[in-house]
Amino acid sequence: MGAPGTDGRKIYNRIVNDREAYRVTAISPWPRSKATQSQDNLQFVRTTEKLKRLGAGCSCCTVRGDVLSKVRQIFEAGHTDRLMLQVPPQSDLEALAKTFSVPDERGDVLGDIAVIDQAVTMIDGRKILQTLKTRSATLLTQMVRSSNSVWIDGADTLEPNQLTEVLGALKVMNPEADLVSGQAGAIKISEFAP
């Protein structure tokens, strides 16, 4: 997830797969050019968030219909070892989580073929303290709290006292999250692999 104050398209363009370890399929809400639809072992699939009610049609059974169908298609094709799903800050994370646990119309559960290993939020280390002073602070805090890992992009460009402030703020939001200090550049999938 790209937190408020980050540029989702730029984040996505920085992802570098570990070619020798995994074949990765990345599902994203942002379009890719034809030249970057497939890069060695990294495949890109575009999606648009579509909520769908399963079961009795109640809100507790609302899932991401687009993710449900895309993940099934990717699994049936058999050309990937790992899925990466990028969601914009305003995404319904509860519906996304339920997508893997609520039975569909046939009684099949997506979690039987794919699970969410972890939720990773990327923040821009240079902007997070400013973002916390805006209306986006609540959303940013919710995203960090729901994450297993937080990638601090651009941590290498921060002064030591700035980095200390950023780390302190993130630890207050989610003391259990793994904090990964990243350079303003490549994001390796292996940094987050369990």
Side-chain angles (χ1 to χ4, degrees):
M1 298 178 280
T6 59
D7 184 329
R9 292 173 195 244
K10 286 183 181 177
I11 291 168
Y12 206 58
N13 287 333
R14 292 176 180 169
I15 295 166
V16 176
N17 65 313
D18 294 316
R19 295 178 182 158
E20 299 185 16
Y22 307 113
R23 295 171 300 165
V24 177
T25 299
I27 301 172
S28 173
W30 290 287
R32 305 289 300 168
S33 67
K34 284 190 177 182
T36 58
Q37 287 291 332
S38 175
Q39 299 173 350
D40 295 323
N41 291 345
L42 182 59
Q43 300 286 328
F44 293 94
V45 175
R46 184 172 183 235
T47 193
T48 301
E49 184 172 12
K50 291 181 184 150
L51 297 178
K52 179 177 184 179
R53 289 189 174 179
L54 297 176
C58 58
S59 61
C60 66
C61 294
T62 299
V63 301
R64 286 277 305 267
D66 59 307
V67 171
L68 191 65
S69 62
K70 300 259 187 221
V71 171
R72 286 201 184 283
Q73 290 169 5
I74 291 165
F75 175 76
E76 288 167 8
H79 298 300
T80 195
D81 299 315
R82 285 197 173 274
L83 287 173
M84 184 184 72
L85 177 60
Q86 184 179 20
V87 297
Q90 68 276 15
S91 286
D92 185 335
L93 300 180
E94 189 175 337
L96 179 61
K98 288 178 184 175
T99 303
F100 291 83
S101 61
V102 173
D104 66 13
E105 298 89 352
R106 299 178 304 201
D108 296 330
V109 178
L110 188 60
D112 290 341
I113 61 170
V115 295
I116 299 175
D117 283 338
Q118 60 179 300
V120 178
T121 294
M122 170 173 278
I123 59 104
D124 186 330
R126 296 167 301 267
K127 295 181 181 177
I128 184 174
L129 297 176
Q130 294 170 330
T131 303
L132 288 172
K133 297 175 185 173
T134 69
R135 291 182 183 170
S136 298
T138 301
L139 181 56
L140 170 61
T141 302
Q142 289 171 346
M143 292 180 74
V144 170
R145 283 186 180 156
S146 66
S147 297
N148 303 100
S149 300
V150 178
W151 179 282
I152 308 163
D153 192 42
D156 61 324
T157 65
L158 299 176
E159 296 295 326
N161 63 325
Q162 292 174 309
L163 182 57
T164 299
E165 283 186 68
V166 169
L167 292 172
L170 291 171
K171 278 297 183 189
V172 167
M173 287 185 252
N174 186 346
E176 303 299 318
D178 291 325
L179 304 180
V180 180
S181 296
Q183 297 179 351
I187 303 167
K188 288 187 176 288
I189 299 294
S190 62
E191 291 283 350
F192 306 107

